[in-house]
Amino acid sequence: MAADDRENGGRKENDNKKRGVKVSKKPATVKIKKQDRESRQSNPSDEGSRPRGRQSEEGSLPRGGNREAAGGEILPARFLPSQIKNKQKRSAVTAKLRAEKEKGKKQRLKRRRQDEERAVALGEAAPPRKVARTIDSTREVDETIAQPDDDELHADEAEDEFAPHFNRERPPKVLITTCQRIHQTMKQLIKELLVVIPGSEYYERRQYRIKEIVQYASARDYTAMIVINENRSKPNALMLIGLPEGPTALFKLSSLVLRKNIKNAGRATSHLPELILNNFSTRLGHRVGRLLASLFPQDPEFKGRRVVTLHNQRDFIFFRHHRYIFEDPEKRDESLGLRKKKAREEKEKGGLVKRKKDAAAAAAGKKATSVGASLGIFTRLQECGPRFTLKLMSVQRGTFDSKGGEYEWVYKNDMDTSRRRFFL
């Protein structure tokens, strides 16, 4: 019987060859392998391990751990919705996973709130909150990070170039100049810096070199000098020189927003501002922070409610200028009533759409906080401008010297070996 089958098979092959039909002997083997793979997927316990392979046509994935998806289908616990080829099913699974994630987040917040309320009711300490895992919180360990009990750092700061300023022996006196040819944006920035920095004066650059201006300013008891450069009619760099002994810091200037481009910007008074320095943690950061702090007096006038903030985050220094506003609830409600009345009038004239856009923009900067709510006072911040961002490029010992100057620190592109490596 087997011999007859072999003979019949041989005849068929010869007939196919005569007709020019190609016959492959592999399908039988492939079919066996496919059946074997399907049997292993249906009974993974036979192999003693998880099945391997690509996603099946039903949308299930071979990795272990089942999970219910849209339509009651069982999906594995570890999978990517992007592996589902069907667009409708992929969208449904993605939406379901997003909803589950949001629901879990709300439940965690609710449990934490309940635990805090229970602890307060029992007179116990509230449970500690988890620290968010960010790039800042996971920065690389740096040996130069200053510690509060670092006696060596305190000794160095007591004898550095800024000691007379912080000992209130020399009041700050700042000279501001620019490159030789400037445009309107630079002129407006200088006007606003003259308001922000008390005791500052502007001198036109003309054809003088920076070394000549440094000598001129040192002879007239200026404590610092600011040189702003522009490229393509926009400010792009700022050099800060401590006088008379230095140091000199070069910053890249970006993200400049002038007062006229800030919604509901306030008008600063002539009072001395309060200075806030944030997150200058390394020895280099302390040095740069003290250089920036030397521009402002050490005796702020809190009556003016002005505050200048220099916030360092991932080696970017954000400059902001605000003023505090304290509002009485009665006057606040009265002004709100006037605004509503004006809105009704504008609605009758057909100007409600524009009013809504302006109100939405104003709400971002005028959110009342609960500070002082027990006294019946509402507190908020109003930005006065300008705002910009600085990035340190180099620190040079002494005053500016482009040829023979000694650099303490220089930024280079090959220093960016990790996203979590910071120098300030």
Side-chain angles (χ1 to χ4, degrees):
M1 189 105 181
D4 295 339
D5 292 339
R6 285 195 297 270
E7 291 178 1
N8 294 332
R11 291 171 187 167
K12 290 181 180 180
E13 289 180 3
N14 294 331
D15 294 341
N16 290 331
K17 288 181 180 178
K18 291 179 180 178
R19 296 175 196 166
V21 178
K22 294 183 179 180
V23 179
S24 176
K25 298 181 180 180
K26 292 184 179 180
T29 308
V30 173
K31 187 174 182 181
I32 294 172
K33 290 183 179 180
K34 186 181 291 186
Q35 292 176 354
D36 191 20
R37 184 169 64 250
E38 290 177 356
S39 64
R40 286 201 304 269
Q41 289 183 355
S42 61
N43 299 316
S45 58
D46 297 342
E47 295 290 331
S49 61
R50 294 180 180 177
R52 299 179 181 178
R54 298 181 63 85
Q55 177 184 349
S56 64
E57 296 180 357
E58 287 83 5
S60 60
L61 296 176
R63 295 181 182 178
N66 294 330
R67 185 171 184 171
E68 187 175 354
E73 186 179 356
I74 303 299
L75 292 177
R78 295 174 56 191
F79 80 102
L80 295 175
S82 59
Q83 296 176 346
I84 302 176
K85 296 182 179 180
N86 188 288
K87 182 178 180 180
Q88 294 180 348
K89 185 173 294 186
R90 182 172 66 246
S91 301
V93 172
T94 303
K96 185 176 180 66
L97 293 178
R98 189 182 294 113
E100 290 179 358
K101 185 177 179 180
E102 189 67 23
K103 183 179 179 181
K105 182 179 179 180
K106 290 182 178 179
Q107 290 177 352
R108 290 194 301 271
L109 293 175
K110 184 178 180 180
R111 285 196 300 269
R112 188 177 68 184
R113 196 179 304 113
Q114 291 176 351
D115 294 341
E116 291 178 353
E117 293 176 354
R118 190 182 303 109
V120 171
L122 297 176
E124 300 176 354
R129 294 193 174 189
K130 294 182 178 180
V131 179
R133 184 179 177 83
T134 61
I135 294 180
D136 293 328
S137 63
T138 57
R139 65 180 295 176
E140 291 184 358
V141 179
D142 192 347
E143 297 178 354
T144 63
I145 292 180
Q147 302 297 332
D149 55 349
D150 192 346
D151 297 334
E152 182 181 355
L153 177 62
H154 297 326
D156 293 341
E157 292 180 349
E159 299 177 357
D160 63 2
E161 303 91 340
F162 315 111
H165 169 77
F166 288 99
N167 294 334
R168 295 176 173 82
E169 298 175 3
R170 294 178 58 195
K173 187 179 178 182
V174 183
L175 185 147
I176 301 177
T177 187
T178 62
C179 52
Q180 294 180 352
R181 298 180 61 184
I182 61 175
H183 295 79
Q184 188 61 34
T185 304
M186 177 74 80
K187 294 178 182 178
Q188 188 63 32
L189 174 61
I190 293 171
K191 289 180 181 179
E192 297 184 10
L193 288 179
L194 292 174
V195 176
V196 173
I197 304 175
S200 58
E201 300 177 6
Y202 168 69
Y203 281 84
E204 189 178 354
R205 174 69 177 273
R206 298 182 182 177
Q207 301 298 324
Y208 295 104
R209 296 181 301 171
I210 293 181
K211 286 186 177 181
E212 296 175 350
I213 302 176
V214 167
Q215 294 175 0
Y216 172 87
S218 300
R220 285 158 180 78
D221 295 331
Y222 283 93
T223 60
M225 175 177 160
I226 298 177
V227 183
I228 308 175
N229 185 61
E230 71 172 27
N231 184 25
R232 296 182 180 180
S233 305
K234 293 183 179 180
N236 69 330
L238 185 145
M239 181 183 295
L240 180 55
I241 305 173
L243 299 176
E245 301 175 356
T248 301
L250 177 63
F251 299 92
K252 177 184 176 182
L253 192 150
S254 61
S255 304
L256 173 64
V257 181
L258 298 175
R259 179 182 177 275
K260 65 179 182 180
N261 297 325
I262 298 176
K263 292 289 186 180
N264 302 303
R267 188 177 297 277
T269 62
S270 59
H271 296 82
L272 301 181
E274 178 185 359
L275 179 64
I276 298 177
L277 296 173
N278 283 336
N279 204 22
F280 292 88
S281 55
T282 63
R283 294 181 69 93
L284 177 63
H286 271 243
R287 188 159 178 77
V288 174
R290 287 171 68 85
L291 177 61
L292 294 170
S294 64
L295 301 175
F296 299 89
Q298 295 297 300
D299 300 314
E301 296 176 350
F302 297 101
K303 184 179 179 180
R305 296 170 290 141
R306 288 180 58 196
V307 56
V308 174
T309 305
L310 291 165
H311 175 74
N312 173 45
Q313 185 172 357
R314 303 179 191 176
D315 287 349
F316 289 93
I317 303 173
F318 299 93
F319 178 92
R320 298 293 184 270
H321 180 208
H322 294 87
R323 63 188 291 261
Y324 297 103
I325 293 181
F326 301 101
E327 292 182 337
D328 189 0
E330 296 180 358
K331 295 181 179 180
R332 183 170 176 268
D333 295 339
E334 182 180 354
S335 61
L336 182 61
L338 293 175
R339 289 197 297 269
K340 289 183 177 179
K341 183 178 179 181
K342 189 176 180 180
R344 286 194 298 269
E345 295 176 354
E346 291 183 356
K347 183 178 180 180
E348 296 174 357
K349 297 178 181 179
L352 183 61
V353 176
K354 183 178 183 302
R355 176 68 180 175
K356 284 184 176 181
K357 291 181 179 179
D358 295 341
K366 291 187 176 181
K367 289 184 178 180
T369 62
S370 60
V371 178
S374 59
L375 302 177
I377 299 175
F378 291 91
T379 309
R380 62 185 176 89
L381 285 176
Q382 186 180 30
E383 190 170 0
C384 301
R387 76 168 76 135
F388 52 84
T389 305
L390 300 174
K391 182 175 178 59
L392 182 66
M393 304 305 293
S394 66
V395 178
Q396 185 179 2
R397 193 183 305 275
T399 58
F400 175 76
D401 188 357
S402 58
K403 294 183 179 180
E406 179 184 355
Y407 287 89
E408 300 180 11
W409 183 87
V410 179
Y411 170 78
K412 297 181 181 179
N413 292 331
D414 56 1
M415 298 171 68
D416 293 333
T417 57
S418 172
R419 294 179 62 198
R420 291 173 171 79
R421 185 185 182 190
F422 308 119
F423 302 98
L424 299 181

